[in-house]
Amino acid sequence: MVSRPVYCRRFIGRRAQLELLAERQREALEGRGSLVLISGEAGIGKSRLIEQANEAFKKGSGEALLGRCYQYVQAPYAPFADLMRALEILHPDVLPASSALKLAVSPLLDDASSDATRRAASDDEKRRLFDGVADALRAFAARAPLLLTIEDVHWADDGTLELLQHIVPMLGRARIVLTCTYRSEEVRQRHVLRTALATLQAQTNVWRIELEPLDAGEVRELIAYSVEDSARDAVAEVADSVCRLADGNPFFAEEILKNALDASARGASELPLSVTQAVVERAAGLAESDRYILDCASLLDR
């Protein structure tokens, strides 16, 4: 058996959200940068929204770069280290080797897990590092407008969240749009993330996008553009079940559709492992009493 991935070839919906990002990009070109916080449940389409924004930004004169936070790697300032290294590769002359600015951000440019970086997270060098990152980003943005993204901030280490809060005020005077994605359900579980988000949202140059599920029409459009023409008849037979089970989540819709089209699957009523695991992980963060309620509710119909 050969199982092929299912992926929608067209971006569906999110017109208002794309326009908000486009407006922030236009303002950044005029030297009025901002932070955009993008939240939503796992699989709701945060990364695809960023991909669309990046493509639009790069068609102009801007550069789009990405840094990630990982659940299984808690290296200090890791996403900022990714961004700074990528910027230095693009513009190696912005930070001369012997300059004070290059020395200030050197812990990020050398090794994100080095002793120097770890010391900067706890001693007087932290302020020097934070100010250095802010100044370096301004210097890079003077060369070309920047769309910077930090994915999965719900997994960020404390140092990354502190540095993020430090640089946001300077964005208003730079040609930078910084976007951060996070899972909305994680805000309830991580106090440090709640505190950071509260501080960030108090800034006048911070915008927020909360992605809602797609409506039924958009899910059907997603299904239509996720398969080849030869599979249209098979899709028509399972579309209703996919829409019902996906409940507006694009990732769920693609995974359930793939499962339904798989020759060895037993239909769309059986959820694939990727979907069930996502639900299990989400429920794992709940209190035991809440999980008991879910267990009871699972015996009922919708």
Side-chain angles (χ1 to χ4, degrees):
M1 182 192 72
V2 177
S3 181
R4 294 181 174 85
V6 169
Y7 186 84
C8 184
R9 303 184 301 276
R10 177 177 294 189
F11 186 76
I12 305 298
R14 315 302 193 195
R15 295 182 182 276
Q17 293 83 357
L18 280 175
E19 180 54 32
L20 185 146
L21 288 169
E23 290 176 2
R24 304 289 76 73
Q25 293 169 10
R26 289 192 289 268
E27 289 181 352
L29 294 177
E30 300 172 357
R32 294 179 289 133
S34 59
L35 167 68
V36 182
L37 300 169
I38 304 175
S39 64
E41 66 182 29
I44 203 64
K46 300 181 292 295
S47 295
R48 289 198 193 178
L49 179 65
I50 292 296
E51 289 174 4
Q52 289 296 118
N54 286 352
E55 290 180 10
F57 196 69
K58 288 187 289 188
K59 287 180 180 177
S61 58
E63 295 170 346
L65 300 169
L66 175 68
R68 294 184 183 276
C69 302
Y70 294 98
Q71 183 178 18
Y72 48 85
V73 177
Q74 290 289 308
Y77 314 115
F80 282 103
D82 291 342
L83 292 171
M84 294 296 294
R85 291 169 184 165
L87 286 167
E88 189 180 40
I89 291 173
L90 286 172
H91 304 291
D93 57 328
V94 169
L95 302 179
S98 60
S99 67
L101 188 53
K102 180 69 172 283
L103 293 175
V105 299
S106 60
L108 299 187
L109 297 175
D110 296 334
D111 183 355
S113 61
S114 67
D115 291 340
T117 305
R118 295 185 183 281
R119 286 198 307 272
S122 58
D123 62 20
D124 293 340
E125 292 180 355
K126 178 185 288 190
R127 180 59 184 265
R128 181 185 175 205
L129 173 64
F130 285 15
D131 288 344
V133 171
D135 292 340
L137 289 177
R138 269 195 294 261
F140 283 117
R143 184 64 55 85
L146 301 176
L147 174 56
L148 307 177
T149 297
I150 299 179
E151 286 259 46
D152 298 324
V153 173
H154 51 276
W155 288 326
D157 64 284
D158 292 352
T160 293
L161 293 176
E162 291 172 354
L163 179 51
L164 178 62
Q165 295 172 74
H166 184 82
I167 67 171
V168 166
M170 77 84 180
L171 294 178
R173 305 180 303 279
R175 298 195 300 170
I176 300 174
V177 179
L178 176 60
T179 61
C180 294
T181 69
Y182 64 94
R183 295 180 184 175
S184 50
E185 62 267 26
E186 294 286 343
V187 178
R188 297 189 293 270
Q189 302 171 26
R190 286 198 59 192
H191 174 72
V192 63
L193 179 58
R194 287 174 58 91
T195 302
L197 290 174
T199 300
L200 291 169
Q201 292 178 27
Q203 302 289 331
T204 58
N205 63 331
V206 175
W207 300 73
R208 185 169 172 237
I209 294 175
E210 184 171 1
L211 294 182
E212 301 291 340
L214 300 176
D215 61 36
E218 290 171 331
V219 173
R220 290 185 179 278
E221 188 178 0
L222 180 148
I223 292 171
Y225 286 103
S226 296
V227 297
E228 302 297 333
D229 292 341
S230 59
R232 298 289 183 186
D233 291 341
V235 167
E237 297 177 1
V238 299
D240 289 341
S241 295
V242 172
C243 287
R244 177 175 57 84
L245 292 172
D247 206 20
N249 186 298
F251 172 73
F252 288 2
E254 290 175 341
E255 290 295 291
I256 294 168
L257 177 61
K258 173 181 176 294
N259 195 62
L261 296 177
D262 195 314
S264 64
R266 290 176 290 180
S269 60
E270 181 177 317
L271 293 176
L273 178 61
S274 56
V275 175
T276 56
Q277 184 60 26
V279 175
V280 168
E281 290 180 359
R282 184 170 182 178
L286 299 175
E288 183 177 355
S289 58
D290 294 331
R291 291 198 299 272
Y292 174 74
I293 293 174
L294 285 181
D295 288 341
C296 295
S298 68
L299 301 175
L300 306 174
D301 59 22
R302 293 176 67 84

